[in-house]
Coordinates of all heavy atoms in Angstrom, one line a residue:
M11 N 191.1 127.4 47.2 CA 190.3 128.2 46.3 C 190.6 129.6 46.5 O 190.6 130.1 47.7 CB 188.8 127.8 46.4 CG 187.9 128.6 45.4 SD 186.2 128.2 45.7 CE 186.1 126.5 45.2
G12 N 190.8 130.4 45.5 CA 191.1 131.8 45.6 C 189.8 132.6 45.8 O 188.7 132.2 45.5
E13 N 190.0 133.8 46.3 CA 188.9 134.7 46.6 C 188.1 135.0 45.3 O 186.8 135.0 45.3 CB 189.4 136.0 47.2 CG 188.3 137.1 47.4 CD 187.3 136.7 48.5 OE1 187.6 135.8 49.3 OE2 186.3 137.4 48.7
A14 N 188.8 135.3 44.2 CA 188.1 135.6 42.9 C 187.2 134.4 42.4 O 186.1 134.6 42.0 CB 189.1 136.0 41.9
K15 N 187.8 133.2 42.5 CA 187.1 132.0 42.0 C 185.9 131.8 42.9 O 184.8 131.4 42.5 CB 188.0 130.8 42.0 CG 187.4 129.6 41.4 CD 188.4 128.5 41.2 CE 187.6 127.3 40.5 NZ 188.5 126.2 40.4
R16 N 186.0 131.9 44.2 CA 184.9 131.7 45.2 C 183.8 132.6 44.9 O 182.6 132.3 44.9 CB 185.4 131.8 46.6 CG 184.3 131.6 47.7 CD 184.8 131.9 49.1 NE 185.0 133.3 49.2 CZ 184.0 134.2 49.4 NH1 182.7 133.9 49.4 NH2 184.3 135.5 49.6
R17 N 184.1 133.9 44.7 CA 183.1 134.9 44.4 C 182.4 134.6 43.1 O 181.2 134.8 42.9 CB 183.7 136.3 44.4 CG 184.1 136.8 45.8 CD 184.7 138.2 45.8 NE 183.7 139.2 45.5 CZ 182.9 139.7 46.5 NH1 183.0 139.3 47.7 NH2 182.0 140.6 46.2
A18 N 183.2 134.2 42.1 CA 182.6 133.8 40.8 C 181.6 132.6 40.9 O 180.6 132.6 40.3 CB 183.7 133.5 39.8
D19 N 182.1 131.6 41.7 CA 181.2 130.4 41.9 C 179.9 130.8 42.6 O 178.9 130.2 42.4 CB 182.0 129.4 42.7 CG 183.1 128.7 41.9 OD1 183.1 128.9 40.7 OD2 184.0 128.1 42.6
Q20 N 180.0 131.7 43.5 CA 178.8 132.1 44.3 C 177.9 133.2 43.5 O 176.9 133.6 44.0 CB 179.2 132.7 45.6 CG 179.7 131.7 46.5 CD 180.1 132.3 47.9 OE1 180.1 133.5 48.1 NE2 180.5 131.4 48.8
G21 N 178.4 133.6 42.3 CA 177.6 134.6 41.5 C 177.8 136.0 42.0 O 176.9 136.8 41.7
L22 N 178.8 136.3 42.8 CA 179.0 137.6 43.3 C 179.9 138.4 42.4 O 180.7 137.8 41.6 CB 179.7 137.5 44.7 CG 179.0 136.8 45.8 CD1 179.8 136.6 47.0 CD2 177.7 137.6 46.2
P23 N 179.8 139.7 42.4 CA 180.6 140.6 41.5 C 182.0 140.6 42.0 O 182.3 140.3 43.2 CB 180.0 141.9 41.6 CG 179.3 142.0 42.9 CD 178.8 140.5 43.1
P24 N 183.0 141.0 41.2 CA 184.4 141.1 41.7 C 184.5 142.1 42.9 O 183.7 143.0 42.9 CB 185.2 141.6 40.5 CG 184.3 141.2 39.3 CD 182.9 141.3 39.8
R25 N 185.4 141.9 43.7 CA 185.6 142.8 44.9 C 186.1 144.1 44.4 O 186.8 144.2 43.5 CB 186.7 142.2 45.8 CG 186.2 142.0 47.2 CD 187.1 141.3 48.1 NE 188.2 142.2 48.5 CZ 189.2 141.8 49.3 NH1 189.2 140.6 49.7 NH2 190.1 142.7 49.6
Q26 N 185.6 145.2 45.1 CA 186.0 146.5 44.8 C 187.3 146.8 45.4 O 187.6 146.3 46.5 CB 184.9 147.5 45.2 CG 183.6 147.4 44.6 CD 182.6 148.4 45.2 OE1 182.8 149.0 46.2 NE2 181.5 148.6 44.5
S27 N 188.1 147.6 44.7 CA 189.4 148.0 45.3 C 189.1 149.0 46.5 O 188.0 149.6 46.6 CB 190.3 148.7 44.3 OG 189.7 149.9 43.9
K28 N 190.1 149.2 47.3 CA 190.0 150.1 48.5 C 189.7 151.5 48.0 O 189.0 152.3 48.7 CB 191.2 150.0 49.4 CG 191.3 148.7 50.1 CD 192.5 148.7 51.0 CE 192.6 147.4 51.8 NZ 193.7 147.3 52.7
A29 N 190.3 151.9 46.9 CA 190.1 153.3 46.4 C 188.7 153.5 46.0 O 188.1 154.6 46.2 CB 191.1 153.5 45.2
T30 N 188.1 152.5 45.4 CA 186.7 152.7 45.0 C 185.7 152.7 46.2 O 184.8 153.5 46.2 CB 186.3 151.5 44.0 OG1 187.2 151.4 43.0 CG2 184.9 151.7 43.5
R31 N 186.0 151.9 47.1 CA 185.2 151.8 48.3 C 185.2 153.1 49.1 O 184.3 153.5 49.7 CB 185.6 150.6 49.2 CG 185.0 149.3 48.7 CD 185.4 148.3 49.7 NE 186.8 147.9 49.5 CZ 187.4 147.0 50.2 NH1 186.9 146.4 51.2 NH2 188.7 146.7 49.9
S32 N 186.4 153.7 49.2 CA 186.5 154.9 50.0 C 185.9 156.1 49.4 O 185.6 157.1 50.1 CB 188.0 155.2 50.3 OG 188.7 155.5 49.1
K33 N 185.7 156.1 48.1 CA 185.0 157.3 47.4 C 183.5 157.3 47.5 O 182.9 158.2 47.2 CB 185.4 157.3 45.9 CG 186.9 157.6 45.7 CD 187.2 157.6 44.2 CE 188.7 157.9 44.0 NZ 189.0 157.9 42.6
Q34 N 182.9 156.2 48.0 CA 181.5 156.1 48.1 C 181.0 157.0 49.3 O 181.6 157.0 50.3 CB 181.0 154.7 48.2 CG 181.3 153.8 47.0 CD 180.9 152.4 47.2 OE1 180.6 152.0 48.4 NE2 180.8 151.6 46.2
D35 N 179.9 157.7 49.0 CA 179.4 158.5 50.1 C 178.5 157.7 51.0 O 177.5 157.1 50.6 CB 178.5 159.6 49.4 CG 178.1 160.7 50.4 OD1 178.5 160.6 51.6 OD2 177.3 161.6 50.0
T36 N 179.0 157.6 52.3 CA 178.3 156.7 53.2 C 177.4 157.5 54.2 O 176.9 157.0 55.2 CB 179.3 155.9 54.0 OG1 180.2 156.7 54.7 CG2 180.0 154.9 53.1
S37 N 177.3 158.8 54.0 CA 176.5 159.6 54.9 C 175.0 159.3 54.7 O 174.6 158.9 53.7 CB 176.8 161.1 54.7 OG 176.3 161.5 53.4
P38 N 174.3 159.5 55.8 CA 172.8 159.2 55.7 C 172.1 160.1 54.7 O 172.5 161.3 54.5 CB 172.3 159.4 57.1 CG 173.3 160.3 57.7 CD 174.6 160.1 57.1
R39 N 171.0 159.6 54.2 CA 170.2 160.4 53.3 C 169.3 161.4 54.1 O 169.0 161.2 55.3 CB 169.2 159.5 52.5 CG 169.9 158.7 51.4 CD 168.9 158.0 50.6 NE 169.6 157.4 49.5 CZ 169.0 156.9 48.4 NH1 167.7 156.8 48.4 NH2 169.6 156.4 47.4
I40 N 169.0 162.5 53.5 CA 168.1 163.5 54.1 C 166.7 162.9 54.4 O 166.2 162.9 55.5 CB 168.0 164.8 53.3 CG1 169.4 165.4 53.2 CG2 167.0 165.7 53.9 CD1 169.4 166.6 52.2
F41 N 166.1 162.3 53.4 CA 164.9 161.6 53.5 C 165.1 160.2 52.8 O 165.9 160.2 51.8 CB 163.7 162.3 52.8 CG 163.4 163.6 53.3 CD1 163.7 164.8 52.7 CD2 162.8 163.7 54.6 CE1 163.4 166.0 53.2 CE2 162.5 164.9 55.1 CZ 162.8 166.1 54.4
P42 N 164.5 159.1 53.3 CA 164.8 157.8 52.6 C 164.4 157.8 51.2 O 165.1 157.1 50.4 CB 163.9 156.9 53.4 CG 163.7 157.6 54.7 CD 163.7 159.0 54.4
W43 N 163.4 158.5 50.7 CA 163.0 158.5 49.4 C 163.7 159.5 48.5 O 163.5 159.5 47.3 CB 161.4 158.7 49.3 CG 161.0 160.0 50.1 CD1 160.6 160.0 51.4 CD2 161.0 161.3 49.6 NE1 160.3 161.3 51.8 CE2 160.5 162.1 50.7 CE3 161.2 161.9 48.4 CZ2 160.4 163.5 50.6 CZ3 161.1 163.3 48.3 CH2 160.6 164.0 49.4
L44 N 164.5 160.3 49.0 CA 165.2 161.4 48.2 C 166.7 161.0 48.1 O 167.4 160.8 49.2 CB 165.1 162.7 49.0 CG 165.6 163.9 48.2 CD1 164.8 164.2 47.0 CD2 165.5 165.2 49.1
P45 N 167.2 160.8 46.9 CA 168.6 160.4 46.8 C 169.7 161.4 47.0 O 170.6 161.6 46.2 CB 168.7 159.8 45.4 CG 167.7 160.7 44.6 CD 166.6 160.9 45.6
I46 N 169.5 162.2 48.0 CA 170.5 163.3 48.4 C 171.0 163.0 49.8 O 170.2 162.9 50.7 CB 169.8 164.7 48.3 CG1 169.4 164.9 46.8 CG2 170.8 165.7 48.8 CD1 168.6 166.2 46.7
T47 N 172.3 163.0 50.0 CA 172.9 162.7 51.3 C 173.2 164.0 52.0 O 173.2 165.1 51.5 CB 174.1 161.8 51.1 OG1 175.1 162.6 50.4 CG2 173.8 160.5 50.4
E48 N 173.5 163.8 53.3 CA 173.9 165.0 54.1 C 175.2 165.6 53.6 O 175.3 166.9 53.6 CB 174.2 164.5 55.6 CG 172.9 164.1 56.3 CD 172.1 165.3 56.7 OE1 172.6 166.4 57.0 OE2 170.8 165.1 56.8
N49 N 176.2 164.9 53.1 CA 177.4 165.5 52.6 C 177.0 166.3 51.3 O 177.6 167.4 51.1 CB 178.4 164.4 52.2 CG 179.0 163.8 53.4 OD1 179.0 164.4 54.5 ND2 179.7 162.7 53.3
Q50 N 176.2 165.8 50.5 CA 175.8 166.5 49.3 C 175.1 167.8 49.6 O 175.3 168.8 49.0 CB 174.9 165.7 48.4 CG 175.7 164.5 47.7 CD 174.7 163.6 47.0 OE1 173.6 163.4 47.3 NE2 175.2 162.9 45.9
K51 N 174.2 167.8 50.7 CA 173.5 169.0 51.1 C 174.5 170.0 51.6 O 174.5 171.2 51.2 CB 172.6 168.6 52.3 CG 171.8 169.8 52.8 CD 171.1 169.4 54.1 CE 172.1 169.3 55.2 NZ 171.5 169.3 56.5
N52 N 175.5 169.6 52.4 CA 176.5 170.5 52.9 C 177.4 171.1 51.8 O 177.7 172.3 51.8 CB 177.4 169.8 53.9 CG 176.6 169.5 55.2 OD1 175.6 170.1 55.5 ND2 177.1 168.4 55.9
Q53 N 177.7 170.3 50.7 CA 178.5 170.7 49.6 C 177.7 171.8 48.8 O 178.2 172.8 48.4 CB 178.9 169.6 48.7 CG 180.0 168.7 49.2 CD 180.2 167.5 48.4 OE1 179.4 167.2 47.5 NE2 181.3 166.8 48.6
F54 N 176.4 171.5 48.7 CA 175.5 172.5 48.0 C 175.5 173.8 48.7 O 175.5 174.9 48.1 CB 174.1 171.9 47.9 CG 173.1 172.8 47.2 CD1 173.1 173.0 45.9 CD2 172.2 173.5 48.0 CE1 172.2 173.9 45.3 CE2 171.3 174.4 47.5 CZ 171.3 174.6 46.1
Y55 N 175.4 173.8 50.1 CA 175.4 175.0 50.8 C 176.7 175.8 50.6 O 176.7 177.0 50.4 CB 175.2 174.7 52.3 CG 173.8 174.3 52.8 CD1 173.6 173.6 53.9 CD2 172.7 174.6 52.0 CE1 172.4 173.2 54.4 CE2 171.4 174.2 52.4 CZ 171.3 173.5 53.6 OH 170.0 173.1 54.0
A56 N 177.8 175.1 50.7 CA 179.1 175.7 50.5 C 179.2 176.4 49.1 O 179.7 177.5 49.0 CB 180.2 174.7 50.7
V57 N 178.8 175.7 48.1 CA 178.9 176.2 46.7 C 177.9 177.4 46.5 O 178.3 178.4 46.0 CB 178.5 175.1 45.7 CG1 178.3 175.7 44.3 CG2 179.6 174.1 45.6
T58 N 176.7 177.4 47.1 CA 175.8 178.5 46.9 C 176.3 179.7 47.7 O 176.1 180.8 47.3 CB 174.4 178.1 47.3 OG1 174.4 177.6 48.6 CG2 173.8 177.1 46.3
I59 N 176.8 179.5 48.9 CA 177.3 180.6 49.7 C 178.5 181.3 49.0 O 178.6 182.5 48.8 CB 177.7 180.2 51.1 CG1 176.5 179.8 51.9 CG2 178.6 181.2 51.8 CD1 176.7 179.2 53.2
R60 N 179.4 180.5 48.4 CA 180.5 181.0 47.7 C 180.1 181.7 46.4 O 180.5 182.8 46.1 CB 181.5 179.9 47.3 CG 182.7 180.4 46.5 CD 183.7 179.2 46.2 NE 184.0 178.5 47.4 CZ 185.2 178.5 47.9 NH1 186.2 179.1 47.4 NH2 185.5 177.8 49.0
G61 N 179.1 181.2 45.7 CA 178.5 181.9 44.6 C 177.9 183.2 44.9 O 177.9 184.1 44.2
G62 N 177.2 183.2 46.1 CA 176.6 184.5 46.5 C 177.6 185.5 46.8 O 177.4 186.7 46.4
W63 N 178.7 185.2 47.4 CA 179.8 186.2 47.7 C 180.4 186.6 46.4 O 180.7 187.8 46.2 CB 180.8 185.6 48.6 CG 180.3 185.7 50.1 CD1 180.0 184.6 50.9 CD2 180.1 186.9 50.8 NE1 179.6 185.1 52.1 CE2 179.7 186.5 52.1 CE3 180.2 188.2 50.6 CZ2 179.4 187.4 53.1 CZ3 179.9 189.1 51.6 CH2 179.5 188.7 52.8
I64 N 180.6 185.7 45.4 CA 181.1 186.1 44.1 C 180.2 187.1 43.4 O 180.6 188.1 42.9 CB 181.4 184.9 43.3 CG1 182.6 184.1 43.8 CG2 181.6 185.3 41.8 CD1 182.8 182.7 43.2
G65 N 178.9 186.8 43.5 CA 177.9 187.7 42.9 C 177.9 189.1 43.6 O 177.8 190.1 42.9
I66 N 178.0 189.1 44.9 CA 178.1 190.4 45.6 C 179.3 191.2 45.2 O 179.3 192.4 44.9 CB 178.1 190.2 47.1 CG1 176.7 189.7 47.6 CG2 178.5 191.5 47.9 CD1 176.7 189.2 49.0
G67 N 180.5 190.5 45.0 CA 181.7 191.2 44.6 C 181.6 191.7 43.2 O 182.0 192.8 42.9
L68 N 180.9 190.9 42.3 CA 180.7 191.4 40.9 C 179.8 192.6 40.9 O 180.0 193.6 40.1 CB 180.2 190.3 40.0 CG 181.2 189.2 39.7 CD1 180.5 188.1 38.9 CD2 182.3 189.7 38.9
L69 N 178.8 192.6 41.7 CA 177.8 193.7 41.8 C 178.5 195.0 42.3 O 178.3 196.1 41.7 CB 176.7 193.4 42.7 CG 175.6 194.5 42.9 CD1 174.9 194.7 41.6 CD2 174.7 194.1 44.1
V70 N 179.4 194.9 43.3 CA 180.2 196.0 43.7 C 181.1 196.6 42.6 O 181.2 197.8 42.4 CB 180.9 195.7 45.0 CG1 181.9 196.8 45.4 CG2 179.9 195.5 46.2
A71 N 181.8 195.6 41.9 CA 182.7 196.0 40.9 C 181.9 196.8 39.8 O 182.4 197.8 39.3 CB 183.4 194.8 40.3
V72 N 180.8 196.3 39.4 CA 180.0 196.9 38.3 C 179.5 198.3 38.8 O 179.6 199.3 38.1 CB 178.8 196.1 37.9 CG1 177.8 196.8 37.0 CG2 179.3 194.8 37.1
W73 N 179.1 198.4 40.1 CA 178.7 199.7 40.6 C 179.8 200.7 40.6 O 179.6 201.9 40.2 CB 178.1 199.5 42.0 CG 177.7 200.8 42.7 CD1 176.5 201.4 42.4 CD2 178.4 201.6 43.6 NE1 176.4 202.5 43.2 CE2 177.6 202.7 43.9 CE3 179.6 201.5 44.2 CZ2 178.0 203.7 44.8 CZ3 180.1 202.4 45.0 CH2 179.2 203.5 45.3
V74 N 181.0 200.3 41.0 CA 182.1 201.2 41.0 C 182.4 201.7 39.6 O 182.7 202.9 39.3 CB 183.4 200.5 41.6 CG1 184.6 201.3 41.3 CG2 183.2 200.3 43.1
V75 N 182.3 200.8 38.6 CA 182.6 201.2 37.2 C 181.5 202.2 36.7 O 181.8 203.2 36.1 CB 182.7 200.0 36.3 CG1 182.6 200.4 34.8 CG2 183.9 199.2 36.6
V76 N 180.3 201.9 37.0 CA 179.2 202.7 36.5 C 179.2 204.1 37.2 O 178.9 205.1 36.6 CB 177.8 202.0 36.7 CG1 176.6 203.0 36.5 CG2 177.7 200.8 35.8
R77 N 179.5 204.1 38.5 CA 179.3 205.3 39.3 C 180.6 206.2 39.2 O 180.5 207.4 39.2 CB 179.1 205.0 40.8 CG 178.8 206.1 41.6 CD 177.5 206.8 41.3 NE 177.3 207.9 42.2 CZ 176.8 209.1 41.8 NH1 176.4 209.2 40.6 NH2 176.7 210.0 42.7
F78 N 181.8 205.6 39.2 CA 183.0 206.4 39.2 C 183.9 206.3 38.0 O 184.3 207.3 37.5 CB 183.8 205.9 40.5 CG 183.1 206.1 41.8 CD1 182.7 205.1 42.5 CD2 182.9 207.4 42.2 CE1 182.0 205.2 43.7 CE2 182.2 207.6 43.4 CZ 181.8 206.5 44.2
V79 N 184.2 205.1 37.5 CA 185.1 204.9 36.4 C 184.5 205.5 35.1 O 185.2 206.2 34.4 CB 185.5 203.5 36.2 CG1 186.4 203.3 35.0 CG2 186.2 202.9 37.5
G80 N 183.3 205.2 34.8 CA 182.7 205.6 33.5 C 182.6 207.1 33.4 O 183.1 207.7 32.5
P81 N 182.1 207.8 34.4 CA 182.1 209.3 34.4 C 183.5 209.9 34.4 O 183.7 210.9 33.7 CB 181.3 209.7 35.6 CG 180.4 208.5 35.9 CD 181.2 207.3 35.5
A82 N 184.4 209.4 35.1 CA 185.7 209.9 35.2 C 186.4 209.7 33.8 O 187.2 210.6 33.4 CB 186.6 209.2 36.3
A83 N 186.1 208.7 33.1 CA 186.7 208.4 31.8 C 186.0 209.2 30.7 O 186.4 209.2 29.5 CB 186.8 206.9 31.5
G84 N 184.9 209.8 31.0 CA 184.1 210.5 30.0 C 183.2 209.7 29.2 O 182.7 210.1 28.1
W85 N 182.9 208.4 29.6 CA 182.1 207.5 28.8 C 180.6 207.9 28.9 O 179.9 207.8 28.0 CB 182.3 206.1 29.3 CG 183.6 205.5 29.2 CD1 184.6 205.9 28.3 CD2 184.2 204.5 29.9 NE1 185.7 205.2 28.4 CE2 185.5 204.3 29.4 CE3 183.8 203.6 30.9 CZ2 186.4 203.3 29.9 CZ3 184.6 202.7 31.4 CH2 185.9 202.5 30.9
W86 N 180.2 208.5 30.0 CA 178.8 208.9 30.2 C 178.8 209.9 31.4 O 179.7 210.1 32.1 CB 177.9 207.8 30.4 CG 178.2 206.9 31.6 CD1 178.0 207.1 32.9 CD2 178.9 205.6 31.5 NE1 178.5 206.1 33.7 CE2 179.1 205.2 32.9 CE3 179.4 204.8 30.5 CZ2 179.7 204.0 33.2 CZ3 180.0 203.6 30.8 CH2 180.1 203.2 32.2
T87 N 177.6 210.5 31.5 CA 177.4 211.5 32.6 C 176.3 210.9 33.5 O 175.2 210.6 33.0 CB 177.0 212.9 32.1 OG1 178.0 213.3 31.2 CG2 176.9 213.8 33.2
P88 N 176.5 210.8 34.8 CA 175.4 210.3 35.6 C 174.2 211.3 35.6 O 174.3 212.5 35.4 CB 176.0 210.3 37.0 CG 177.4 210.4 36.8 CD 177.7 211.1 35.5
A89 N 173.0 210.7 35.7 CA 171.8 211.5 35.6 C 171.7 212.5 36.8 O 171.1 213.6 36.6 CB 170.6 210.6 35.6
D90 N 172.2 212.2 37.9 CA 172.1 213.1 39.1 C 173.2 214.2 39.1 O 173.2 215.1 40.0 CB 172.1 212.4 40.4 CG 173.4 211.6 40.6 OD1 174.3 211.5 39.7 OD2 173.6 211.0 41.7
A91 N 174.1 214.2 38.1 CA 175.2 215.2 38.0 C 174.8 216.4 37.2 O 175.6 217.3 37.0 CB 176.4 214.6 37.5
R92 N 173.6 216.5 36.6 CA 173.2 217.6 35.8 C 172.7 218.7 36.5 O 172.3 218.9 37.5 CB 172.1 217.1 34.8 CG 172.6 216.1 33.9 CD 171.5 215.7 32.9 NE 172.1 214.7 32.0 CZ 171.4 214.0 31.2 NH1 170.1 214.2 31.0 NH2 172.0 213.1 30.5

């Protein structure tokens, strides 16, 4: 009897391929009642830290444009330059 027939006779679902099994997150949950795992928590930290640095970089770029580029191009005059 083949594996597939035996599983079907026992009412079991078909076997998962190795690729499907390896993609499942087997890390422990933070709390048993919360469906978030340790790996997901670490990924969230990494994404938010990267997003924070991107935000800081954009803030600096906007500040440079407002403080230096705009007045140098004659787009506006800073209030403290009068």
Side-chain angles (χ1 to χ4, degrees):
M11 183 181 293
E13 176 71 11
K15 188 173 180 182
R16 182 188 66 78
R17 291 182 70 84
D19 290 344
Q20 291 179 352
L22 298 172
R25 236 171 79 177
Q26 295 178 345
S27 66
K28 289 183 180 181
T30 307
R31 281 185 280 177
S32 65
K33 291 182 182 177
Q34 292 177 348
D35 189 4
T36 58
S37 65
R39 288 185 171 192
I40 296 173
F41 298 108
W43 49 269
L44 188 65
I46 298 175
T47 63
E48 290 286 330
N49 287 343
Q50 290 172 331
K51 178 190 74 164
N52 294 336
Q53 288 173 348
F54 176 76
Y55 287 159
V57 167
T58 54
I59 289 171
R60 183 178 304 247
W63 280 112
I64 290 171
I66 291 169
L68 289 173
L69 179 68
V70 169
V72 168
W73 180 79
V74 167
V75 168
V76 168
R77 185 68 180 140
F78 299 110
V79 176
W85 296 338
W86 57 77
T87 305
D90 60 353
R92 292 184 185 173

